[in-house]
């Protein structure tokens, strides 16, 4: 394929001017503020990626290949020529809330799926680099494409209430943690009927955590990294945030009850199953 290297035709400056992208920047600012207020984004914690490929024509995206090329540690053939808006590594969500464009970058995956072109949000190229969890984000984004999912967003946050649960020996399995969610807050069954995937502690930012996450995300739309945080996918940032929020609420109810010195009753296994049947009927339009 011929690449457009004519600077006159370079689309880099136009990326952020797209109406869809500026709307997205507003949404990012709002979610970044929520993450900060919830206490789920201490320091530079948390990151996200958004597949924005469909918002640009092939020609527009191809013109981005004049930007610096950076090799990827893995190969993502199904992401060839896909374009992502990704939070910068080291980004403070509280700062992103005020200036989203200053803390994001575009990642345009090359044709081989093994490198990408970087376009920084503040136009000072090189100053904003994608999240250190890039391998996990691209792996999940590729999986979403393979699954023909409507989800375009991957959101990672340090959800305090969920991390705290993984510090308790009783909740170190997928089964135990999901039973707790469903029994503490019935609507968890509506939002996350398949439950959350559980990944035992692994060093953040590695290929290992990316691979383990991918295995779980085949069956779940949210996963928890033991003693670290969570990942959720959704059609947009708000949808991914909602999943984390409802799970956190469930965990919070548990901790609040425990803080009284009394074990919460929870729903019984039979009540949970009745709820599952009821909600699955609703989602089929019965
Ligand atoms: P980044 O600042 O590189 O996105 O890292 C934050 C984080 O939460 C790592 O897991
Ligand atoms: Zn993290």
């Amino acid at each position: 394929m011929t690449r457009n290297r004519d600077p006159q035709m370079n689309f880099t400056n136009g990326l952020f001017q797209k109406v869809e992208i500026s709307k997205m920047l507003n949404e990012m600012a709002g979610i970044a503020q929520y993450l900060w207020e919830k206490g789920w984004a201490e320091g530079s914690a948390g990151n996200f990626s958004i597949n924005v490929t469909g918002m640009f024509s092939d020609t527009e995206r191809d013109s981005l290949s004049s930007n610096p090329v950076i090799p990827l540690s893995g190969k993502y053939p199904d992401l060839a020529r896909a374009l992502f808006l990704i939070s910068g590594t080291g980004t403070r969500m509280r700062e992103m809330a005020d200036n989203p464009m200053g803390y994001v970058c575009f990642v345009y995956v090359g044709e081989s799926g093994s490198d990408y072109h970087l376009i920084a949000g503040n136009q000072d190229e090189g100053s904003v680099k994608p999240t250190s969890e890039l391998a996990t984000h691209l792996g999940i984004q590729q999986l979403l494409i393979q699954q023909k999912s409507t989800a375009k967003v991957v959101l990672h946050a340090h959800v305090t209430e969920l991390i705290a649960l993984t510090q308790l020996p009783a909740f170190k399995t997928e089964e135990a943690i999901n039973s707790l969610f469903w029994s503490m807050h019935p609507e968890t069954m509506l939002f996350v009927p398949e439950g959350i995937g559980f990944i035992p502690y692994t060093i953040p930012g590695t290929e290992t955590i990316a691979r383990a996450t991918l295995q779980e995300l085949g069956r779940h739309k949210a996963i928890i990294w033991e003693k670290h945080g969570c990942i959720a996918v959704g059609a947009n940032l708000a949808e991914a945030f909602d999943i984390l929020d409802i799970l956190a609420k469930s965990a919070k109810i548990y901790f609040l009850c425990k803080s009284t010195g009394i074990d919460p009753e929870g729903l019984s296994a039979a009540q949970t199953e009745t709820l599952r049947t009821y909600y699955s009927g609703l989602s089929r339009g019965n």
Side-chain angles (χ1 to χ4, degrees), residues 42 44-47 133 156-158 204 225 228-230:
E42 76 286 358
S44 71
N47 39 64
E133 305 281 7
H156 165 59
H158 293 182
W225 288 340
H228 175 168
C230 309

Side-chain angles (χ1 to χ4, degrees), residues 170-286:
F171 303 116
K172 285 187 190 290
T173 66
E174 192 178 309
E175 199 188 352
I177 208 160
N178 285 312
S179 299
L180 182 82
F181 291 140
W182 295 323
S183 84
M184 283 299 107
H185 186 12
E187 285 204 359
T188 324
M189 184 64 86
L190 184 62
F191 280 73
V192 205
E194 65 290 325
I196 190 168
F198 181 88
I199 299 193
Y201 178 76
T202 316
I203 299 176
T206 59
E207 287 287 337
T208 318
I209 202 166
R211 271 195 300 274
T213 304
L214 277 187
Q215 275 185 356
E216 286 301 316
L217 268 170
R219 299 181 293 125
H220 303 281
K221 52 180 176 264
I223 57 114
I224 187 157
W225 288 340
E226 183 185 2
K227 298 173 185 158
H228 175 168
C230 309
I231 294 245
V233 302
N236 47 49
L237 275 170
E239 201 176 288
F241 178 86
D242 282 348
I243 294 170
L244 299 182
D245 199 23
I246 188 124
L247 291 169
K249 173 99 177 201
S250 191
K252 206 166 174 176
I253 293 168
Y254 173 74
F255 286 120
L256 267 177
C257 293
K258 288 292 272 186
S259 71
T260 67
I262 302 169
D263 281 346
E265 271 185 348
L267 296 185
S268 68
Q271 284 171 322
T272 306
E273 280 321 299
T274 308
L275 198 61
R276 180 186 294 285
T277 310
Y278 176 69
Y279 280 146
S280 65
L282 285 186
S283 63
R284 285 196 305 271
N286 294 355

Side-chain angles (χ1 to χ4, degrees), residues 77-94:
D78 291 329
L79 296 186
R81 299 174 68 208
L83 182 64
F84 298 95
L85 195 46
I86 298 189
S87 59
T89 185
T91 290
R92 294 185 178 102
M93 289 295 166
R94 62 183 189 271

Side-chain angles (χ1 to χ4, degrees), residues 51 137-154 214 217 220 233-234:
N51 186 340
H137 281 271
L138 293 184
I140 297 172
Q141 292 284 2
Q142 178 166 262
L143 183 71
L144 295 174
I145 288 173
Q146 289 162 349
Q147 291 176 330
K148 301 193 185 346
S149 168
T150 52
K152 301 270 181 246
V153 169
V154 178
L214 277 187
L217 268 170
H220 303 281
V233 302

Side-chain angles (χ1 to χ4, degrees), residues 84-152:
F84 298 95
L85 195 46
I86 298 189
S87 59
T89 185
T91 290
R92 294 185 178 102
M93 289 295 166
R94 62 183 189 271
E95 290 177 351
M96 181 181 283
D98 289 333
N99 173 23
M101 194 168 143
Y103 298 95
V104 290
C105 54
F106 282 93
V107 162
Y108 178 51
V109 181
E111 204 147 16
S112 65
S114 55
D115 57 25
Y116 69 93
H117 302 273
L118 176 66
I119 304 103
N122 61 6
Q123 303 298 304
D124 176 14
E125 288 180 12
S127 63
V128 179
K129 299 197 171 60
T131 171
S132 56
E133 305 281 7
L134 185 64
T136 295
H137 281 271
L138 293 184
I140 297 172
Q141 292 284 2
Q142 178 166 262
L143 183 71
L144 295 174
I145 288 173
Q146 289 162 349
Q147 291 176 330
K148 301 193 185 346
S149 168
T150 52
K152 301 270 181 246

